[in-house]
Amino acid sequence: MALLITKKCINCDMCEPECPNQAISMGDAIYQIDTDRCTECVGHYETPTCQKVCPIPSTIISDPAHIENEEQLWDKFVLLHHADKL
């Protein structure tokens, strides 16, 4: 499942540079996550780096509107980072 940044976001700028998929960007009021690019760090790290660096607990959560299993996240990682080799 892709992740979602909630209204608790304080725009601390910690998450954006940590995202290995470049899925995080500034939205109208707070940071947002591009669900097409978010793999929850599958293929990169054990846990999502944005959640690890966020200073406000429960600000970055699983997006219930974008449910994906581990295999789907892995497939998305491969397409994002290895499409030229397919």
Side-chain angles (χ1 to χ4, degrees), residues 53-70:
V53 300
C54 183
I56 310 297
S58 303
T59 298
I60 303 173
I61 61 171
S62 295
D63 186 344
H66 295 93
I67 298 171
E68 297 167 299
N69 62 34
E70 185 88 11

Side-chain angles (χ1 to χ4, degrees), residues 27-78:
D28 291 335
I30 60 173
Y31 279 94
Q32 61 188 13
I33 297 177
D34 180 347
T35 57
D36 291 334
R37 298 192 66 81
C38 179
T39 65
E40 293 189 36
C41 290
V42 167
H44 295 284
Y45 306 110
E46 292 291 319
T47 58
T49 57
C50 60
Q51 288 178 326
K52 287 174 76 172
V53 300
C54 183
I56 310 297
S58 303
T59 298
I60 303 173
I61 61 171
S62 295
D63 186 344
H66 295 93
I67 298 171
E68 297 167 299
N69 62 34
E70 185 88 11
E71 184 178 339
Q72 290 169 313
L73 293 170
W74 182 256
D75 289 344
K76 193 188 307 184
F77 163 78
V78 170

